[in-house]
Amino acid sequence: MRVAAAVLCLLLLTAEIPLAERRSGYDFMGRETRAMQDDDSTNPALFWLADGEALWNRKDGAAACSSCHASMKGVAARYPKVVAGRGVNLEQQINLCRTERQKAPALAYESRDLLALTAYVARQSRGMPIEAGWNERTEAGRALFQRRQGQLNLACSQCHDDNWGKQLAGTTIPQAHPTGYPIYRLEWQDMGSLQRRLRNCMIGVRAEPYPYGSPELVDLELYLMWRARGMKLETPAVRP
């Protein structure tokens, strides 16, 4: 059994971008965009961070987030995680806390409030290494990453493993390491979650995107964070 597990682990590792060659999407950006992310006073996400801090300290339902939690340092580096056999991402955990502990309504996916609160929580882990282990849900996400889909019959891996660093429609293809979500994307002129970006890619290959919060998208998030294990969080990142 140990030999079989070692062989499986070796196969998994050799199928990914070698650890020494992994690069954040930050490395593929122009000087101006990097400068925007590096300076907290010009990073467009600062408005969401301010809203997130206000939400953190505001009593909703029975209590405020700050009533229970003094610090969230390191938390975002460990999400998504598996709970009772199901993947749970940071946005879902925030809503679980709201509904089960604060007795407050859940926040809608991609709403400004949920993005702001998620960014505020994740910002406290900026610079910390991503912690992601391998589990059954990660394996499901890996299968989805490698599966061809849509009318263009393309898999995520064909772009982000096989052709990273090349140009597609004038944009450099990154390695799909989700080190900075939620991000402010210049194309959107808005903040967005990793699931929004994944759905964009699915639409781009003319596939039917999974709904927000679906197990498939969370599994894919788990796998992508595993790929980025050990890399530092950049939240809130800025991307083209």
Side-chain angles (χ1 to χ4, degrees):
M1 291 294 291
R2 291 183 180 178
V3 173
V7 171
L8 176 59
C9 184
L10 179 61
L11 289 173
L12 290 173
L13 292 174
T14 55
E16 315 300 329
I17 296 171
L19 296 183
E21 296 179 19
R22 292 179 308 165
R23 297 171 63 187
S24 164
Y26 176 91
D27 296 334
F28 299 102
M29 298 193 309
R31 181 179 60 187
E32 295 81 5
T33 310
R34 290 189 192 187
M36 192 180 298
Q37 177 175 317
D38 292 343
D39 188 344
D40 286 340
S41 66
T42 60
N43 188 323
L46 66 91
F47 298 106
W48 280 262
L49 290 173
D51 287 350
E53 183 176 13
L55 287 166
W56 181 261
N57 291 305
R58 187 181 77 192
K59 181 179 179 180
D60 273 343
C65 303
S66 58
S67 301
C68 295
H69 305 286
S71 171
M72 299 300 282
K73 186 175 182 180
V75 171
R78 300 191 292 271
Y79 275 82
K81 66 179 183 180
V82 177
V83 179
R86 181 186 176 95
V88 176
N89 66 14
L90 187 56
E91 290 92 336
Q92 290 170 329
Q93 184 60 56
I94 288 171
N95 271 334
L96 282 171
C97 284
R98 286 181 59 82
T99 57
E100 294 181 2
R101 298 182 181 181
Q102 292 178 262
K103 308 304 179 184
L107 300 172
Y109 283 104
E110 294 307 301
S111 65
R112 185 179 179 97
D113 283 355
L114 185 54
L115 288 168
L117 199 48
T118 305
Y120 177 73
V121 170
R123 169 66 178 80
Q124 297 178 55
S125 299
R126 191 167 74 173
M128 299 186 68
I130 292 170
E131 301 176 28
W134 188 266
N135 55 62
E136 69 278 9
R137 301 309 335 148
T138 318
E139 174 60 37
R142 180 176 183 265
L144 182 57
F145 186 82
Q146 295 181 339
R147 189 177 75 205
R148 291 173 179 264
Q149 58 183 308
Q151 293 179 338
L152 298 186
N153 194 33
L154 291 173
C156 309
S157 59
Q158 288 178 275
C159 283
H160 301 293
D161 279 346
D162 301 339
N163 291 289
W164 66 265
K166 298 179 182 178
Q167 295 288 306
L168 178 64
T171 302
T172 304
I173 300 172
Q175 295 179 343
H177 297 309
T179 53
Y181 285 86
I183 63 169
Y184 185 92
R185 195 168 185 214
L186 299 178
E187 178 184 337
W188 298 335
Q189 290 293 289
D190 195 5
M191 289 286 285
S193 69
L194 177 54
Q195 291 203 1
R196 179 178 179 180
R197 187 69 190 95
L198 295 175
R199 283 167 51 88
N200 278 179
C201 283
M202 291 174 181
I203 292 169
V205 299
R206 300 176 189 171
E208 183 69 27
Y210 294 106
Y212 283 110
S214 65
E216 293 85 359
L217 285 181
V218 180
D219 287 349
L220 193 50
E221 287 188 77
L222 271 161
Y223 171 67
L224 294 176
M225 290 295 275
W226 179 82
R227 284 166 60 93
R229 62 199 182 281
M231 298 177 74
K232 293 182 179 180
L233 282 174
E234 304 170 31
T235 308
V238 179
R239 295 292 184 262

